[in-house]
């Protein structure tokens, strides 16, 4: 039997009928059409499905949708302001942190959680923040560089 889930997704109140076994990533992708959040390992091991729940990075494949009742969810679609990309998204584009792009939404959401909590992270802090996010392409140097660049730009812009 489905239950009504009331959440705030990317700043918009949403009501969705979900079954008790529906995961957060399934609800976001299948019910709300927010396909920027990727579903890969489906066991919380790769971080592709990372979203923010009340500002904290979580693997949405490991959370039941009903567990986020009344909470605020931010997905990759919620970062840009209209046509203007978020500084983290811009830094990934400018510095080649995208690679194939599959892990990118999860990486960016993990970076967002980090920079919201620690606006001036060390490279080690960046590496630790994205440690749960796997990239199968070439490596993490450009990803870490992109997050560091975003932090510098956000500091300069007073964000």
């Amino acid at each position: 039997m489905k239950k009504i889930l009331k959440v705030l997704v990317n700043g918009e109140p949403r009501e969705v009928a979900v079954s008790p076994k529906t995961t957060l990533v399934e609800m976001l992708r299948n019910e709300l059409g927010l396909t920027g959040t990727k579903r890969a390992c489906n066991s919380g091991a790769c971080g592709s499905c990372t979203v923010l729940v009340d500002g904290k990075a979580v693997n949405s494949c490991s959370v039941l949708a009903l567990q986020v009742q009344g909470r605020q969810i931010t997905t990759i679609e919620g970062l840009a302001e209209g046509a203007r990309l978020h500084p983290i998204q811009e830094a990934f584009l400018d510095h080649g942190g995208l690679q194939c792009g599959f892990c990118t939404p999860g990486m960016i959401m993990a970076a967002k959680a980090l920079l919201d909590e620690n606006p001036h992270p060390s490279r080690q802090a960046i590496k630790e923040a994205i440690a749960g996010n796997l990239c199968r392409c070439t490596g993490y140097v450009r990803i870490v560089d992109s997050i560091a660049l975003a932090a510098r730009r956000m500091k300069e812009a007073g964000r």
Side-chain angles (χ1 to χ4, degrees):
M1 174 183 237
K2 290 188 174 186
K3 295 185 175 185
I4 299 298
L5 170 68
K6 294 180 182 181
V7 291
L8 199 62
V9 179
N10 298 329
E12 294 182 27
R14 305 297 293 257
E15 286 188 23
V16 184
V18 296
S19 72
K21 293 184 179 179
T22 301
T23 62
L24 180 56
V25 68
E26 291 170 333
M27 187 271 293
L28 292 169
R29 291 182 58 84
N30 302 338
E31 304 300 326
L32 300 182
L34 297 172
T35 57
T37 302
K38 304 303 180 200
R39 183 177 174 184
C41 72
N42 211 31
S43 64
C46 75
S48 294
C49 63
T50 303
V51 299
L52 304 184
V53 176
D54 294 337
K56 302 290 183 192
V58 302
N59 292 322
S60 60
C61 72
S62 298
V63 175
L64 294 173
L66 291 172
Q67 290 177 295
V68 299
Q69 181 75 263
R71 299 176 78 184
Q72 183 172 341
I73 312 303
T74 306
T75 69
I76 191 73
E77 290 92 344
L79 290 188
E81 295 176 13
R84 185 171 162 223
L85 294 177
H86 187 278
I88 300 170
Q89 293 170 309
E90 287 179 350
F92 269 69
L93 277 173
D94 294 346
H95 214 61
L98 297 174
Q99 301 176 65
C100 86
F102 195 82
C103 71
T104 304
M107 291 284 186
I108 289 175
M109 297 311 291
K112 173 82 168 84
L114 168 67
L115 297 181
D116 285 349
E117 187 174 307
N118 178 4
H120 313 294
S122 65
R123 290 188 68 81
Q124 184 60 36
I126 294 171
K127 290 176 184 177
E128 290 172 9
I130 63 169
N133 295 73
L134 301 179
C135 172
R136 296 184 176 104
C137 292
T138 60
Y140 298 87
V141 173
R142 289 184 179 264
I143 293 169
V144 171
D145 289 347
S146 296
I147 296 169
L149 176 62
R152 280 194 307 275
R153 286 180 175 171
M154 291 167 71
K155 179 181 178 185
E156 291 167 3
R159 291 182 87 172

